[in-house]
Amino acid sequence: MAKKIISEKVERFTESVIREMTRLAQMHDALNLAQGFPDFPAPQEIKEAACRAIQDDINQYAITWGSKSFRNAIAAKTRSYLGLEIDPEREITVTCGSTEAMIATLMAVINPGDEVVIFEPFYENYGPDAILSGATPRYVTLHPPDWSFDPGELEAAFNDRTKAIIINTPNNPTGKVFSRDELGFIAGLCIKWNALAVTDEIYEHILYDGATHCAIATLEGMRDRTITINGMSKTYSVTGWRVGYAIAPPHLTEAIRKVHDFLTVGAAAPLQEAGAHALSFPASYYKELARAYQSRRDLLLEGLAGTDFRCIIPRGAYYIMTDISAFGAGDDVRFTRYLIQDVGVAVVPGSSFFSNPLLGANYVRFCFCKRGETLHAATERLRKISRPKAGQSR
Ligand code: GLN
């Protein structure tokens, strides 16, 4: 029998559509409201801290699971923001972005036959993460407009084989912020079925209209079965630094550190030093971050008001899912190409966030982590699309 050159696992997923949209945006000179990264500078203090660390010769490997100063800063910030006491020596793994934290966590705990519950729509990476780690995904629907789940459906997704549930709150792409009650219900199922909660909380500070962040690790019975994933990218506007971390009880951290060590050895040492500085910012920094994002969100919502993009208002994170059915397109991927090539605005097709692409065919996702002028220019272009014209050119 002929040898298969490419891994069967790898053949089961495509390259990232989110990142492909950025390349297309560059190719067509479109405004990029696709991939979630800021087009404004990171805080001056952090940039200086990073330059200083390089000048101070912090240019060799840090301890594989993270420099002591950064882990101490993570523990201190987690204590003050979430009220969680974590041991920086035994419960933190610093990784190359939260992306690595997620895959290293899954690789550390999944065995053949294990199932992982994933809310759908979901951040694109979780699909390939499940495949690469060998987990069988069980999808549970989040229903618009509030993206609530049906407790019966969630309950039915758990069984003896359930190893973990992946939570992402505040949520990408929906902007849902899971309530304490919802997380309590999820916690009950994790405890009943002896399952882990793997929770991606990278948007923890990006909250609107008085929404509050609840970390499932703080709920009763969850501390020892939760892996909390986070990173610097979104909170400090440094998505290209690739500095993330996983917080987990010692027995899980030990396993995650082993995987992490052989995957990447470690995250950039000088950037971890800058991270230690960033994570000691006062509470006012996070308040201002949320305020600034709320005004960017409102700018985009206002700009899209009166167009055929029906916005589902997010309560957290920095994306807006829009229903595009009024355009009569029925094909989110073609519609996105039209937006990039003819209108000059890049978005992410909704199907990237669903296991069955048809479920996302009537959505596109906008991100608004952009300067006011970028958002203005984008909505000016989008407001020119008239329904019949968009329909015809499709
Ligand atoms: N989280 C961002 C998004 O969804 C980008 C993530 C990435 O490309 N690594 O657009």
Side-chain angles (χ1 to χ4, degrees), residues 114-136:
D114 285 351
E115 294 183 2
V116 170
V117 178
I118 301 176
F119 289 108
E120 181 174 60
F122 52 86
Y123 172 48
E124 199 189 34
N125 281 32
Y126 305 155
D129 284 345
I131 294 170
L132 287 170
S133 64
T136 304

PDB file of all heavy atoms in Angstrom, residues 114-136:
ATOM      1  N   ASP A 114     -11.414   9.953  24.204  1.00  0.00           N
ATOM      2  CA  ASP A 114     -11.917  11.039  25.052  1.00  0.00           C
ATOM      3  C   ASP A 114     -12.729  12.042  24.227  1.00  0.00           C
ATOM      4  O   ASP A 114     -12.350  12.380  23.101  1.00  0.00           O
ATOM      5  CB  ASP A 114     -10.745  11.806  25.696  1.00  0.00           C
ATOM      6  CG  ASP A 114     -10.106  11.035  26.834  1.00  0.00           C
ATOM      7  OD1 ASP A 114     -10.662   9.986  27.235  1.00  0.00           O
ATOM      8  OD2 ASP A 114      -9.047  11.483  27.319  1.00  0.00           O
ATOM      9  N   GLU A 115     -13.786  12.532  24.835  1.00  0.00           N
ATOM     10  CA  GLU A 115     -14.612  13.554  24.177  1.00  0.00           C
ATOM     11  C   GLU A 115     -14.408  14.917  24.835  1.00  0.00           C
ATOM     12  O   GLU A 115     -14.156  15.004  26.041  1.00  0.00           O
ATOM     13  CB  GLU A 115     -16.096  13.180  24.265  1.00  0.00           C
ATOM     14  CG  GLU A 115     -16.423  11.929  23.475  1.00  0.00           C
ATOM     15  CD  GLU A 115     -17.905  11.581  23.486  1.00  0.00           C
ATOM     16  OE1 GLU A 115     -18.711  12.336  24.088  1.00  0.00           O
ATOM     17  OE2 GLU A 115     -18.254  10.551  22.899  1.00  0.00           O
ATOM     18  N   VAL A 116     -14.553  15.946  24.008  1.00  0.00           N
ATOM     19  CA  VAL A 116     -14.448  17.314  24.512  1.00  0.00           C
ATOM     20  C   VAL A 116     -15.688  18.081  24.059  1.00  0.00           C
ATOM     21  O   VAL A 116     -16.020  18.077  22.874  1.00  0.00           O
ATOM     22  CB  VAL A 116     -13.163  17.994  23.977  1.00  0.00           C
ATOM     23  CG1 VAL A 116     -13.169  19.476  24.300  1.00  0.00           C
ATOM     24  CG2 VAL A 116     -11.931  17.351  24.585  1.00  0.00           C
ATOM     25  N   VAL A 117     -16.368  18.705  25.005  1.00  0.00           N
ATOM     26  CA  VAL A 117     -17.566  19.483  24.687  1.00  0.00           C
ATOM     27  C   VAL A 117     -17.138  20.894  24.283  1.00  0.00           C
ATOM     28  O   VAL A 117     -16.327  21.520  24.967  1.00  0.00           O
ATOM     29  CB  VAL A 117     -18.529  19.531  25.897  1.00  0.00           C
ATOM     30  CG1 VAL A 117     -19.757  20.381  25.577  1.00  0.00           C
ATOM     31  CG2 VAL A 117     -18.938  18.117  26.316  1.00  0.00           C
ATOM     32  N   ILE A 118     -17.666  21.354  23.152  1.00  0.00           N
ATOM     33  CA  ILE A 118     -17.292  22.680  22.628  1.00  0.00           C
ATOM     34  C   ILE A 118     -18.574  23.439  22.268  1.00  0.00           C
ATOM     35  O   ILE A 118     -19.422  22.916  21.549  1.00  0.00           O
ATOM     36  CB  ILE A 118     -16.406  22.545  21.358  1.00  0.00           C
ATOM     37  CG1 ILE A 118     -15.119  21.745  21.661  1.00  0.00           C
ATOM     38  CG2 ILE A 118     -16.054  23.921  20.789  1.00  0.00           C
ATOM     39  CD1 ILE A 118     -14.235  21.477  20.431  1.00  0.00           C
ATOM     40  N   PHE A 119     -18.717  24.652  22.790  1.00  0.00           N
ATOM     41  CA  PHE A 119     -19.868  25.472  22.400  1.00  0.00           C
ATOM     42  C   PHE A 119     -19.657  25.989  20.976  1.00  0.00           C
ATOM     43  O   PHE A 119     -18.556  26.382  20.603  1.00  0.00           O
ATOM     44  CB  PHE A 119     -20.037  26.663  23.355  1.00  0.00           C
ATOM     45  CG  PHE A 119     -20.510  26.262  24.726  1.00  0.00           C
ATOM     46  CD1 PHE A 119     -19.645  26.321  25.812  1.00  0.00           C
ATOM     47  CD2 PHE A 119     -21.818  25.835  24.928  1.00  0.00           C
ATOM     48  CE1 PHE A 119     -20.074  25.957  27.079  1.00  0.00           C
ATOM     49  CE2 PHE A 119     -22.255  25.468  26.190  1.00  0.00           C
ATOM     50  CZ  PHE A 119     -21.378  25.525  27.277  1.00  0.00           C
ATOM     51  N   GLU A 120     -20.760  26.005  20.225  1.00  0.00           N
ATOM     52  CA  GLU A 120     -20.702  26.417  18.819  1.00  0.00           C
ATOM     53  C   GLU A 120     -21.680  27.555  18.588  1.00  0.00           C
ATOM     54  O   GLU A 120     -22.824  27.419  19.036  1.00  0.00           O
ATOM     55  CB  GLU A 120     -21.078  25.205  17.955  1.00  0.00           C
ATOM     56  CG  GLU A 120     -21.052  25.456  16.472  1.00  0.00           C
ATOM     57  CD  GLU A 120     -21.285  24.164  15.684  1.00  0.00           C
ATOM     58  OE1 GLU A 120     -22.363  23.560  15.869  1.00  0.00           O
ATOM     59  OE2 GLU A 120     -20.415  23.784  14.907  1.00  0.00           O
ATOM     60  N   PRO A 121     -21.285  28.680  17.946  1.00  0.00           N
ATOM     61  CA  PRO A 121     -20.010  28.913  17.282  1.00  0.00           C
ATOM     62  C   PRO A 121     -18.836  28.994  18.260  1.00  0.00           C
ATOM     63  O   PRO A 121     -18.996  29.357  19.416  1.00  0.00           O
ATOM     64  CB  PRO A 121     -20.213  30.255  16.568  1.00  0.00           C
ATOM     65  CG  PRO A 121     -21.342  30.923  17.259  1.00  0.00           C
ATOM     66  CD  PRO A 121     -22.209  29.830  17.790  1.00  0.00           C
ATOM     67  N   PHE A 122     -17.643  28.648  17.731  1.00  0.00           N
ATOM     68  CA  PHE A 122     -16.449  28.582  18.570  1.00  0.00           C
ATOM     69  C   PHE A 122     -15.283  29.249  17.853  1.00  0.00           C
ATOM     70  O   PHE A 122     -15.287  29.378  16.617  1.00  0.00           O
ATOM     71  CB  PHE A 122     -16.091  27.116  18.872  1.00  0.00           C
ATOM     72  CG  PHE A 122     -15.990  26.254  17.643  1.00  0.00           C
ATOM     73  CD1 PHE A 122     -14.809  26.164  16.914  1.00  0.00           C
ATOM     74  CD2 PHE A 122     -17.088  25.530  17.189  1.00  0.00           C
ATOM     75  CE1 PHE A 122     -14.721  25.380  15.767  1.00  0.00           C
ATOM     76  CE2 PHE A 122     -17.013  24.739  16.035  1.00  0.00           C
ATOM     77  CZ  PHE A 122     -15.822  24.670  15.332  1.00  0.00           C
ATOM     78  N   TYR A 123     -14.310  29.674  18.620  1.00  0.00           N
ATOM     79  CA  TYR A 123     -13.089  30.228  18.036  1.00  0.00           C
ATOM     80  C   TYR A 123     -12.428  29.117  17.215  1.00  0.00           C
ATOM     81  O   TYR A 123     -12.193  28.008  17.711  1.00  0.00           O
ATOM     82  CB  TYR A 123     -12.162  30.750  19.145  1.00  0.00           C
ATOM     83  CG  TYR A 123     -10.798  31.150  18.641  1.00  0.00           C
ATOM     84  CD1 TYR A 123     -10.665  31.960  17.517  1.00  0.00           C
ATOM     85  CD2 TYR A 123      -9.645  30.706  19.268  1.00  0.00           C
ATOM     86  CE1 TYR A 123      -9.423  32.310  17.040  1.00  0.00           C
ATOM     87  CE2 TYR A 123      -8.386  31.060  18.803  1.00  0.00           C
ATOM     88  CZ  TYR A 123      -8.290  31.856  17.673  1.00  0.00           C
ATOM     89  OH  TYR A 123      -7.057  32.197  17.189  1.00  0.00           O
ATOM     90  N   GLU A 124     -12.169  29.473  15.978  1.00  0.00           N
ATOM     91  CA  GLU A 124     -11.664  28.556  14.956  1.00  0.00           C
ATOM     92  C   GLU A 124     -10.635  27.519  15.431  1.00  0.00           C
ATOM     93  O   GLU A 124     -10.681  26.361  15.044  1.00  0.00           O
ATOM     94  CB  GLU A 124     -11.023  29.457  13.897  1.00  0.00           C
ATOM     95  CG  GLU A 124     -10.814  28.893  12.567  1.00  0.00           C
ATOM     96  CD  GLU A 124      -9.969  29.852  11.710  1.00  0.00           C
ATOM     97  OE1 GLU A 124      -9.070  30.542  12.224  1.00  0.00           O
ATOM     98  OE2 GLU A 124     -10.225  29.865  10.516  1.00  0.00           O
ATOM     99  N   ASN A 125      -9.693  27.945  16.274  1.00  0.00           N
ATOM    100  CA  ASN A 125      -8.606  27.035  16.666  1.00  0.00           C
ATOM    101  C   ASN A 125      -9.080  25.768  17.382  1.00  0.00           C
ATOM    102  O   ASN A 125      -8.398  24.745  17.337  1.00  0.00           O
ATOM    103  CB  ASN A 125      -7.646  27.750  17.627  1.00  0.00           C
ATOM    104  CG  ASN A 125      -6.683  28.667  16.909  1.00  0.00           C
ATOM    105  OD1 ASN A 125      -7.029  29.243  15.878  1.00  0.00           O
ATOM    106  ND2 ASN A 125      -5.485  28.832  17.442  1.00  0.00           N
ATOM    107  N   TYR A 126     -10.211  25.835  18.072  1.00  0.00           N
ATOM    108  CA  TYR A 126     -10.588  24.693  18.908  1.00  0.00           C
ATOM    109  C   TYR A 126     -10.850  23.427  18.084  1.00  0.00           C
ATOM    110  O   TYR A 126     -10.647  22.316  18.586  1.00  0.00           O
ATOM    111  CB  TYR A 126     -11.816  25.016  19.781  1.00  0.00           C
ATOM    112  CG  TYR A 126     -11.678  26.242  20.654  1.00  0.00           C
ATOM    113  CD1 TYR A 126     -12.805  26.944  21.077  1.00  0.00           C
ATOM    114  CD2 TYR A 126     -10.425  26.702  21.069  1.00  0.00           C
ATOM    115  CE1 TYR A 126     -12.685  28.075  21.883  1.00  0.00           C
ATOM    116  CE2 TYR A 126     -10.301  27.834  21.866  1.00  0.00           C
ATOM    117  CZ  TYR A 126     -11.432  28.520  22.262  1.00  0.00           C
ATOM    118  OH  TYR A 126     -11.320  29.632  23.048  1.00  0.00           O
ATOM    119  N   GLY A 127     -11.302  23.592  16.844  1.00  0.00           N
ATOM    120  CA  GLY A 127     -11.550  22.423  15.980  1.00  0.00           C
ATOM    121  C   GLY A 127     -10.254  21.662  15.720  1.00  0.00           C
ATOM    122  O   GLY A 127     -10.113  20.481  16.106  1.00  0.00           O
ATOM    123  N   PRO A 128      -9.262  22.311  15.082  1.00  0.00           N
ATOM    124  CA  PRO A 128      -7.967  21.648  14.872  1.00  0.00           C
ATOM    125  C   PRO A 128      -7.291  21.224  16.181  1.00  0.00           C
ATOM    126  O   PRO A 128      -6.637  20.171  16.221  1.00  0.00           O
ATOM    127  CB  PRO A 128      -7.130  22.710  14.151  1.00  0.00           C
ATOM    128  CG  PRO A 128      -8.141  23.578  13.468  1.00  0.00           C
ATOM    129  CD  PRO A 128      -9.360  23.581  14.330  1.00  0.00           C
ATOM    130  N   ASP A 129      -7.467  21.988  17.252  1.00  0.00           N
ATOM    131  CA  ASP A 129      -6.892  21.589  18.545  1.00  0.00           C
ATOM    132  C   ASP A 129      -7.429  20.214  18.962  1.00  0.00           C
ATOM    133  O   ASP A 129      -6.682  19.361  19.456  1.00  0.00           O
ATOM    134  CB  ASP A 129      -7.263  22.597  19.648  1.00  0.00           C
ATOM    135  CG  ASP A 129      -6.462  23.894  19.568  1.00  0.00           C
ATOM    136  OD1 ASP A 129      -5.435  23.922  18.868  1.00  0.00           O
ATOM    137  OD2 ASP A 129      -6.877  24.882  20.211  1.00  0.00           O
ATOM    138  N   ALA A 130      -8.723  20.034  18.763  1.00  0.00           N
ATOM    139  CA  ALA A 130      -9.337  18.756  19.139  1.00  0.00           C
ATOM    140  C   ALA A 130      -8.761  17.636  18.268  1.00  0.00           C
ATOM    141  O   ALA A 130      -8.378  16.568  18.775  1.00  0.00           O
ATOM    142  CB  ALA A 130     -10.855  18.831  18.985  1.00  0.00           C
ATOM    143  N   ILE A 131      -8.652  17.896  16.972  1.00  0.00           N
ATOM    144  CA  ILE A 131      -8.135  16.862  16.058  1.00  0.00           C
ATOM    145  C   ILE A 131      -6.685  16.515  16.410  1.00  0.00           C
ATOM    146  O   ILE A 131      -6.314  15.341  16.550  1.00  0.00           O
ATOM    147  CB  ILE A 131      -8.246  17.325  14.589  1.00  0.00           C
ATOM    148  CG1 ILE A 131      -9.721  17.458  14.201  1.00  0.00           C
ATOM    149  CG2 ILE A 131      -7.526  16.352  13.650  1.00  0.00           C
ATOM    150  CD1 ILE A 131      -9.962  18.130  12.864  1.00  0.00           C
ATOM    151  N   LEU A 132      -5.859  17.541  16.587  1.00  0.00           N
ATOM    152  CA  LEU A 132      -4.431  17.292  16.846  1.00  0.00           C
ATOM    153  C   LEU A 132      -4.215  16.551  18.164  1.00  0.00           C
ATOM    154  O   LEU A 132      -3.295  15.749  18.294  1.00  0.00           O
ATOM    155  CB  LEU A 132      -3.655  18.620  16.855  1.00  0.00           C
ATOM    156  CG  LEU A 132      -3.453  19.252  15.465  1.00  0.00           C
ATOM    157  CD1 LEU A 132      -2.898  20.668  15.598  1.00  0.00           C
ATOM    158  CD2 LEU A 132      -2.516  18.403  14.605  1.00  0.00           C
ATOM    159  N   SER A 133      -5.072  16.836  19.137  1.00  0.00           N
ATOM    160  CA  SER A 133      -4.883  16.173  20.429  1.00  0.00           C
ATOM    161  C   SER A 133      -5.562  14.808  20.457  1.00  0.00           C
ATOM    162  O   SER A 133      -5.388  14.040  21.405  1.00  0.00           O
ATOM    163  CB  SER A 133      -5.436  17.053  21.558  1.00  0.00           C
ATOM    164  OG  SER A 133      -6.832  17.203  21.407  1.00  0.00           O
ATOM    165  N   GLY A 134      -6.366  14.534  19.415  1.00  0.00           N
ATOM    166  CA  GLY A 134      -7.021  13.229  19.332  1.00  0.00           C
ATOM    167  C   GLY A 134      -8.354  13.159  20.060  1.00  0.00           C
ATOM    168  O   GLY A 134      -8.901  12.084  20.282  1.00  0.00           O
ATOM    169  N   ALA A 135      -8.918  14.332  20.409  1.00  0.00           N
ATOM    170  CA  ALA A 135     -10.210  14.337  21.113  1.00  0.00           C
ATOM    171  C   ALA A 135     -11.358  14.286  20.109  1.00  0.00           C
ATOM    172  O   ALA A 135     -11.228  14.770  18.986  1.00  0.00           O
ATOM    173  CB  ALA A 135     -10.330  15.609  21.945  1.00  0.00           C
ATOM    174  N   THR A 136     -12.462  13.728  20.530  1.00  0.00           N
ATOM    175  CA  THR A 136     -13.670  13.745  19.709  1.00  0.00           C
ATOM    176  C   THR A 136     -14.532  14.919  20.183  1.00  0.00           C
ATOM    177  O   THR A 136     -14.953  14.938  21.328  1.00  0.00           O
ATOM    178  CB  THR A 136     -14.474  12.434  19.880  1.00  0.00           C
ATOM    179  OG1 THR A 136     -13.583  11.359  19.569  1.00  0.00           O
ATOM    180  CG2 THR A 136     -15.693  12.407  19.000  1.00  0.00           C
TER     181      THR A 136
END
